Amino acid sequence: MSEFAIADYGLLSDCASAALVSRGGSIDWWCPGRFDAPSVFGRLLDPEAGHWALSPVAAGSGGRSERAYVDGTLVLRTVHHTGGGKVAVTEALVAEPGARGHELGRNSPAVLARVVEGLTGTVRMRCEFVPRPEYGLVTPYLHCAGGRVQVGAGPLELTLRAPVRLDCAHGRAYGEFDVVAGQVLGFDLAHAPAYGPPPRELDPVASLADTVEAWRALREMHEYDGRYADLVRRSALVVQGLTYRPSGAVVAAVTTSLPERLGGRDNYDYRYAWLRDFDVTMRALWVAACPDDTSRLFDWAARSAGRSGDEPVPIMYGVAGERDLSEYSLDHLRGYAGSRPVRVGNDAWRQRQQDVPGGVLLSAYLIRDRLGELSPESQALLVGLAEQATQWRKADAGMWEARGPGRHYLASKALCWGALDGAVKLAPMLGQRADPQRWAAIRDEIRTVVLRDGWNEQVGAYTGAIGSAELDASVLVLPFTGIVSATEPRMRATIDAIAERLTTNGLVRRWPDDPAGFVVCTFWLVECLAMAGEMERATDLFERTAARANDLGLFAEQIDPHTGAHVGNTPLALSHAGLIGAAWRLTTPSFR
């Protein structure tokens, strides 16, 4: 496994692909070209699966590192303090030269740039370059000529340019060098597909400066004037970094198979875009980004779904709209902390999840003024989803994607209600196939069943599934759909029950034996408390939860309530969208 904890990693993104760099200066994850491409560096999941380290040889007495993003960017600057002096490493997946605003990521050059700057004294540094394409399956030949390393293996080419001598042996390039105060050394690693144009050659120092300006130009297009503006802007930047700019899709995370439980088997690939999370993500973009982001995401969903038939719309797609995300295991990888299997693809795409229509239709209603006159394809998507919601009596896999027999999950049925409520309101925009009277009648029937049969008198709360006696944090979404108010006595009792029985050290678990707190569920509890008028409790919980991000403001999927360790895939879009939604709710408690 990687020697680093999940929270020790920082995100680099060019809005097409992503890399993770450890606090110690090792890039242990990079899938060049696309978020879901095979990794070139995969030490995150196996010590032999590749990395690129650029760090002090020895920190010495009092050695430490501190890091932060350059303001308004995903350009990372780490300062290493050693016995001999201080040195800074500034790094990024660089932007296309001259790209500004939403051009960032449209034509990514697929170049990692790293600049070493001597600050004080003299620091001995090392560069260790160990590429292992195809998730570590390939040990390539490396061709060294001074500081230039050429890598050709399978379907890709890599070119590393370094201002120092590197020696190659056994698929590894290595060199040590001294950096003195005032000295600046630029390294760059470029990727290109085999049998095509060669990797780009960009000046690393100039590229980093240009990338800073590209991110700042993007930030200037986004406005947020609510509470916790700095936290919201940071999370909005992370969501932007998880956006595949060519299509507008937002991936759930940049990693695969970081485990929900160390040593466990619940390890899944999150490098895809979920329709199931559509409303949470869309609201985050609507609140903290700009209108173009919401419109592009909606257009991507309509294009990806295609013609809807009798089968349910898939819950997720690839970033370019791919539907078949069939899952397989990489049995040669040991997995993070020995957590196997390591999976590529995600068979949840085959599941029936009745909450998908609600996510999309509630989002469409939210941004209705941006949508204008709907295309026939968009009308067909929304009408098809409304019709799918009329099948609300069918069992499904639920929000947590249970891999087993379907159940009658309450949140799924509430989101079917939300889908039909949104469809009724949008009916004048939906063309001749709209059937608002029938949809309204079914909507009202759903509400009656959810509020009557979802309540468990013995538990004193709405439970996760009809007929179940188990609390489940998924029911916190009920007030967000509008099916019930957070102040309604039974819903209020449910909020209190979750706060008392599913919350450990301020983190909300999904169900009673869930080992870790689910970050977005905790932010949902913040929202519910605010909607119920408990602003002081909501504010306190928000601030405690926000403080659990790592030093760069990043959240994984879950957090161990006892150790504070981050668990699961990272950084998670849903966690950051949850923070944005909770901050906005604290600003405008009545917003729906």
Side-chain angles (χ1 to χ4, degrees):
M1 63 168 278
S2 165
E3 61 182 295
F4 295 100
I6 290 170
D8 281 331
Y9 284 95
L11 171 69
L12 307 179
S13 171
D14 57 7
C15 296
S17 65
L20 294 179
V21 56
S22 73
R23 185 186 302 275
S26 180
I27 295 178
D28 290 345
W29 186 251
W30 185 34
C31 301
R34 265 179 52 147
F35 291 110
D36 57 348
S39 66
V40 167
F41 302 132
R43 185 159 71 166
L44 185 68
L45 298 175
D46 189 292
E48 305 301 323
H51 65 279
W52 179 20
L54 190 60
S55 59
V57 171
S61 177
R64 59 186 175 86
S65 298
E66 57 194 29
R67 59 186 181 167
Y69 287 114
V70 177
D71 183 51
T73 78
L74 288 180
V75 176
L76 183 61
R77 178 178 170 86
T78 303
V79 177
H80 300 285
H81 300 253
T82 75
K86 292 193 302 184
V87 63
V89 178
T90 305
E91 53 201 327
L93 276 165
V94 301
E96 174 79 6
R100 294 295 182 267
H102 290 118
E103 296 172 349
L104 179 62
R106 294 282 180 91
N107 295 290
S108 168
V111 173
L112 274 165
R114 313 181 81 179
V115 173
V116 180
E117 178 185 1
L119 300 178
T120 64
T122 300
V123 178
R124 186 73 172 171
M125 296 286 289
R126 69 184 178 103
C127 175
E128 184 177 47
F129 175 63
V130 187
R132 293 293 183 266
E134 297 286 308
Y135 299 109
L137 280 173
V138 178
T139 301
Y141 288 104
L142 273 58
H143 302 283
C144 288
R148 188 183 184 95
V149 182
Q150 295 288 145
V151 180
L156 61 78
E157 292 186 9
L158 299 170
T159 300
L160 172 64
R161 296 189 305 156
V164 300
R165 177 181 175 83
L166 299 174
D167 295 314
C168 294
H170 310 297
R172 170 181 178 265
Y174 186 83
E176 294 186 7
F177 55 97
D178 289 327
V179 180
V180 300
Q183 188 176 15
V184 177
L185 301 173
F187 298 71
D188 66 283
L189 174 63
H191 161 271
Y195 313 113
R200 298 281 294 272
E201 293 194 3
L202 301 175
D203 176 76
V205 176
S207 293
L208 279 181
D210 189 61
T211 301
V212 168
E213 294 307 310
W215 279 108
R216 287 178 173 169
L218 183 64
R219 180 187 63 176
E220 290 173 3
M221 300 175 68
H222 302 155
E223 296 181 2
Y224 174 80
D225 57 4
R227 296 181 65 182
Y228 304 105
D230 289 344
L231 294 174
V232 167
R233 291 184 185 121
R234 169 54 56 195
S235 282
L237 196 61
V238 174
V239 175
Q240 292 287 337
L242 298 177
T243 299
Y244 183 69
R245 186 63 63 187
S247 69
V250 180
V251 297
V254 304
T255 55
T256 179
S257 301
L258 293 183
E260 295 182 9
R261 187 194 304 252
L262 295 184
R265 295 184 56 84
D266 289 335
N267 320 317
Y268 301 109
D269 194 346
Y270 279 22
R271 298 172 299 161
Y272 308 110
W274 264 253
L275 285 190
R276 197 262 332 282
D277 301 334
F278 204 73
D279 57 329
V280 181
T281 304
M282 185 70 80
R283 186 176 58 153
L285 293 174
W286 184 81
V287 165
C290 74
D292 288 346
D293 297 311
T294 59
S295 299
R296 281 180 56 78
L297 182 57
F298 185 84
D299 290 344
W300 166 83
R303 179 184 176 92
S304 299
R307 286 184 178 274
S308 57
D310 295 333
E311 291 300 310
V313 172
I315 71 166
M316 59 198 290
Y317 296 92
V319 293
E322 299 87 349
R323 180 172 295 214
D324 187 344
L325 305 178
S326 295
E327 183 177 290
Y328 61 94
S329 297
L330 299 176
D331 294 333
H332 64 287
L333 295 180
R334 304 180 201 179
Y336 184 90
S339 306
R340 303 180 69 190
V342 173
R343 294 180 169 99
V344 171
N346 195 313
D347 275 343
W349 75 275
R350 306 175 190 273
Q351 292 181 343
R352 173 182 289 275
Q353 289 193 20
Q354 298 282 64
D355 47 8
V356 170
V360 178
L361 277 154
L362 287 170
S363 298
Y365 184 70
L366 176 68
I367 65 167
R368 60 194 180 278
D369 293 336
R370 282 290 307 172
L371 295 176
E373 183 176 350
L374 293 175
S375 67
E377 292 80 8
S378 294
Q379 288 179 336
L381 170 66
L382 296 177
V383 170
L385 288 170
E387 290 301 322
Q388 185 175 323
T390 66
Q391 302 176 42
W392 65 277
R393 290 189 179 276
K394 291 186 177 181
D396 75 325
M399 182 182 296
W400 311 130
E401 298 175 5
R403 296 196 173 192
R407 300 176 67 193
H408 293 280
Y409 291 99
L410 208 64
S412 296
K413 298 190 187 304
L415 279 159
C416 285
W417 182 96
L420 293 171
D421 189 57
V424 168
K425 294 173 181 175
L426 290 169
M429 302 172 60
L430 299 182
Q432 294 182 352
R433 290 182 58 206
D435 195 353
Q437 287 188 321
R438 183 170 62 91
W439 292 341
I442 298 172
R443 175 198 61 187
D444 295 345
E445 182 184 6
I446 296 173
R447 185 176 190 273
T448 297
V449 171
V450 166
L451 300 187
R452 181 191 66 209
D453 298 344
W455 176 259
N456 186 299
E457 194 66 41
Q458 285 69 41
V459 178
Y462 293 114
T463 54
I466 290 176
S468 171
E470 187 172 89
L471 272 178
D472 192 300
S474 63
V475 300
L476 290 172
V477 305
L478 266 62
F480 308 159
T481 69
I483 195 171
V484 64
S485 167
T487 58
E488 186 268 337
R490 286 184 167 185
M491 189 66 224
R492 182 56 198 272
T494 301
I495 295 168
D496 289 339
I498 290 172
E500 294 167 7
R501 295 180 235 165
L502 288 186
T503 304
T504 303
N505 293 333
L507 291 166
V508 178
R509 293 168 290 121
R510 288 170 292 178
W511 50 77
D513 60 353
D514 198 7
F518 212 75
V519 175
V520 74
C521 290
T522 308
F523 284 127
W524 286 346
L525 180 57
V526 170
E527 290 201 57
C528 285
L529 289 170
M531 294 171 77
E534 292 271 7
M535 291 298 292
E536 186 174 343
R537 286 178 66 194
T539 298
D540 177 68
L541 182 58
F542 177 88
E543 293 178 353
R544 291 172 62 193
T545 307
R548 293 179 180 271
N550 77 354
D551 57 316
L552 297 173
L554 303 179
F555 282 106
E557 181 178 38
Q558 301 176 65
I559 298 174
D560 187 304
H562 304 292
T563 67
H566 286 213
V567 184
N569 284 308
T570 195
L572 197 79
L574 195 59
S575 298
H576 288 276
L579 181 147
I580 294 168
W584 184 242
R585 186 74 67 184
L586 290 170
T587 303
T588 57
S590 60
F591 169 77
R592 180 191 152 198

